[in-house]
Amino acid sequence: MKSNLITIIKKELARFFGDKRMAFTTILMPGLMIYILYNFMGSSLMSQFTADEDYEYQVYADNLPDSIEQSIKAMDGVKVNVMDGTGMGEADKKAAIADKEADLYAVFPAGFEADVLTYDSMTSTDPAPQVELYYNSSSTESSELYQMMISVLDYYESAMANRFDVNAKEEAYDLATNEDSSGRFFAMMVPMLLMIFLFSGCMAVAPEAIAGEKERGTIATLLVTPMKRSHLALGKIISLSVIGVLSGASSFIGTMLSLPTLMGAGSDGMDMSVYGVNDYALLLVVILTTVLVMVGAMAVLSALAKSVKEASTMVMPLMIVVMVVALTSMMGGGAPEASYWYMIPFYNSVQSMNGIFLFDYNITNIVVTLVSNLAYTLLLTGLLTKLFGSEKIMYS
């Protein structure tokens, strides 16, 4: 069995890598296309998340010290209007930030400068003077002004030997709603595009490897050789899986390399560094097991077809299903929590990716996804073995 399997796998891999055009289209093209597309999207959309040069920022401020106000207005090329909030309460000013009617609400304690001068962080048991900055991350102007204000205060704080804190309370200072966050939108869009590219890569090899041999008549030669047909089926599925995994790895690498540009287009300043090694590892294994299920499903459909053209036609409904399922990453409020959702093929992969990119995943659900994908792969491999054992199907 071992020698037969190795022979079939070597044969399939040699045939695939011998065709340089197919190897490029299947392995290198997905990652390259993802990298180019995501970088283009990030670069072209970046302009939509950058404030105009002549924009005048609108700020509400309580007890704003003159020195801080002068530093803000002295920023090169930045126009800031400190508005009169007389008659407005704290809730009204926060509402203005949330409704994008103003860009920042800065709250300084009364007597801030005097408190800072007398505060000693080494001997005092009282908390340092607190500065609170309320902003809206779904607004480009608000996010940019918030970052500039942080820089001004950081410089001021370093000059004062760390005598006050900024946004130190356990409170929500970002007044944007989740639905308005552009960074969240991009994070939800990536799983959809990944699924489409993964499916395209698998579709490039599966029909040709089985239906193509039936069409050329070479499958008949393989079937009459002295080997079990189950060995032939296993050799086919393993070799296709190897190629599919390489295609999946290419898509993964392309996604990771393009994330800095793509996520950098988000107004909340997301970038690749916000994801840890565990996030990347989980994303990789989800991608690889998803590829195995795709390859198995396409191999079964290809075995039922009489030609490559017919196999491609039979795969089209599956492609539509995958694309519709991929769109679910853009819907709802994030990945579902119930584990039974992660037993549904393809949907589980989309929602797992969605959860990983949004930092909203449950490790149990990820494990359910991986186990389910492997179980579906074994089931499809067994079904392909049965089809290879049917002369009516293989010689039709």
Side-chain angles (χ1 to χ4, degrees):
M1 174 180 177
K2 183 177 180 181
S3 59
N4 289 336
L5 272 177
I6 293 176
T7 300
I8 294 298
I9 294 172
K10 285 182 177 180
K11 171 185 172 297
E12 290 298 320
L13 294 179
R15 180 186 65 81
F16 173 79
F17 287 104
D19 188 338
K20 296 181 180 179
R21 181 181 301 176
M22 180 178 290
F24 175 80
T25 303
T26 306
I27 297 178
L28 297 180
M29 184 64 75
L32 184 61
M33 288 299 296
I34 287 177
Y35 178 78
I36 293 175
L37 177 61
Y38 285 9
N39 274 280
F40 173 77
M41 291 172 59
S43 299
S44 61
L45 292 175
M46 185 71 74
S47 59
Q48 299 183 23
F49 299 102
T50 304
D52 296 335
E53 292 183 2
D54 57 349
Y55 181 81
E56 186 176 24
Y57 296 95
Q58 306 299 315
V59 178
Y60 286 114
D62 293 349
N63 307 312
L64 179 63
D66 292 338
S67 58
I68 299 295
E69 183 175 0
Q70 292 174 5
S71 297
I72 295 173
K73 293 184 176 181
M75 290 187 293
D76 186 29
V78 179
K79 300 177 182 179
V80 179
N81 176 33
V82 180
M83 298 183 293
D84 183 9
T86 304
M88 296 180 63
E90 180 178 318
D92 296 328
K93 296 174 183 177
K94 289 182 179 179
I97 301 299
D99 295 337
K100 302 182 182 180
E101 297 173 356
D103 301 313
L104 190 74
Y105 175 34
V107 180
F108 291 82
F112 173 74
E113 289 183 308
D115 290 343
V116 168
L117 289 173
T118 58
Y119 182 78
D120 188 343
S121 60
M122 301 298 293
T123 60
S124 178
T125 58
D126 296 326
Q130 304 287 328
V131 178
E132 298 177 316
L133 304 177
Y134 296 92
Y135 68 105
N136 189 332
S137 66
S138 66
S139 167
T140 301
E141 294 79 13
S142 181
S143 295
E144 289 193 346
L145 182 58
Y146 171 73
Q147 295 298 331
M148 288 187 284
M149 191 68 174
I150 288 291
S151 298
V152 169
L153 292 175
D154 282 345
Y155 178 79
Y156 184 83
E157 182 182 18
S158 63
M160 302 301 294
N162 193 25
R163 294 185 177 185
F164 68 94
D165 295 322
V166 179
N167 287 2
K169 296 181 180 178
E170 294 183 1
E171 183 177 344
Y173 294 97
D174 182 0
L175 302 179
T177 60
N178 288 336
E179 291 75 12
D180 290 335
S181 175
S182 57
R184 181 182 177 87
F185 170 78
F186 286 123
M188 294 170 67
M189 181 176 62
V190 173
M192 178 189 70
L193 298 177
L194 261 178
M195 290 293 290
I196 294 174
F197 277 107
L198 289 175
F199 192 91
S200 299
C202 296
M203 190 175 177
V205 292
E208 174 64 28
I210 299 177
E213 292 214 16
K214 289 179 66 176
E215 186 176 6
R216 294 188 297 270
T218 54
I219 194 71
T221 304
L222 291 174
L223 293 174
V224 298
T225 55
M227 76 167 68
K228 292 182 179 180
R229 294 184 180 182
S230 60
H231 297 176
L232 175 60
L234 286 173
K236 286 280 188 180
I237 201 72
I238 291 174
S239 58
L240 288 175
S241 297
V242 170
I243 298 170
V245 165
L246 291 175
S247 177
S250 172
S251 298
F252 172 80
I253 293 172
T255 300
M256 293 305 101
L257 292 178
S258 58
L259 271 180
T261 302
L262 181 63
M263 291 306 184
S267 64
D268 51 1
M270 290 182 65
D271 57 49
M272 189 172 66
S273 63
V274 302
Y275 298 104
V277 175
N278 291 339
D279 299 320
Y280 290 136
L282 289 175
L283 179 61
L284 179 59
V285 293
V286 169
I287 287 176
L288 298 185
T289 57
T290 302
V291 167
L292 294 178
V293 178
M294 289 181 177
V295 166
M298 292 183 194
V300 169
L301 293 174
S302 298
L304 294 170
K306 299 178 181 179
S307 64
V308 174
K309 183 178 180 180
E310 184 178 349
S312 299
T313 302
M314 294 175 68
V315 170
M316 289 302 293
L318 179 62
M319 181 182 71
I320 295 174
V321 170
V322 171
M323 291 182 67
V324 171
V325 171
L327 287 173
T328 60
S329 67
M330 305 288 292
M331 305 173 185
E337 296 181 1
S339 296
Y340 57 81
W341 288 109
Y342 295 85
M343 300 178 69
I344 303 175
F346 302 128
Y347 180 82
N348 57 3
S349 299
V350 171
Q351 295 306 321
S352 294
M353 294 179 193
N354 195 18
I356 292 170
F357 281 113
L358 293 176
F359 307 102
D360 187 29
Y361 64 86
N362 184 320
I363 192 63
T364 300
N365 292 335
I366 300 292
V367 172
V368 171
T369 295
L370 301 180
V371 173
S372 298
N373 284 347
L374 292 176
Y376 288 125
T377 301
L378 293 175
L379 181 63
L380 291 168
T381 302
L383 181 56
L384 183 63
T385 300
K386 292 291 185 181
L387 294 177
F388 272 11
S390 172
E391 295 185 3
K392 180 179 180 181
I393 293 176
M394 299 312 297
Y395 287 102
S396 62

